[in-house]
Amino acid sequence: LTRGLGEDSLPDLRPWLIEQLRMDGLSSAERSGAAQGLTEVLIASGSTIVDSVMLDDILPLASHPSPSTREGVLWVLCF
């Protein structure tokens, strides 16, 4: 979807998916789905965006105090 329409068509999608990884109260399945969606969006955006988002937004969450947020990071790394 992102590859076909371009990220400009869905400007809030990537930030929303990242926010889903941080949210408490989501099930593991919802967090997994957000991680898979985020991975698809990142891959469609190119390696420069992948590197930037992983370094700036995703990997710092690996030390987050919330276990569910850390789980979200693991899901992104799995996909």
Side-chain angles (χ1 to χ4, degrees):
L1 182 65
T2 304
R3 186 172 294 148
L5 293 174
E7 195 170 347
D8 295 338
S9 300
L10 305 164
D12 297 330
L13 182 58
R14 185 175 7 128
W16 182 81
L17 290 168
I18 293 170
E19 184 59 32
Q20 299 310 297
L21 299 178
R22 293 183 183 135
M23 285 182 63
D24 287 331
L26 292 181
S27 71
S28 184
E30 291 170 312
R31 195 168 288 105
S32 168
Q36 185 172 11
L38 177 61
T39 302
E40 294 290 333
V41 168
L42 291 177
I43 290 170
S45 299
S47 62
T48 303
I49 298 294
V50 171
D51 292 345
S52 172
V53 171
M54 289 300 289
L55 292 174
D56 297 340
D57 297 321
I58 303 302
L59 294 179
L61 296 176
S63 60
H64 196 276
S66 169
S68 57
T69 299
R70 293 191 307 268
E71 177 190 29
V73 173
L74 290 175
W75 279 119
V76 171
L77 295 175
C78 285
F79 292 114

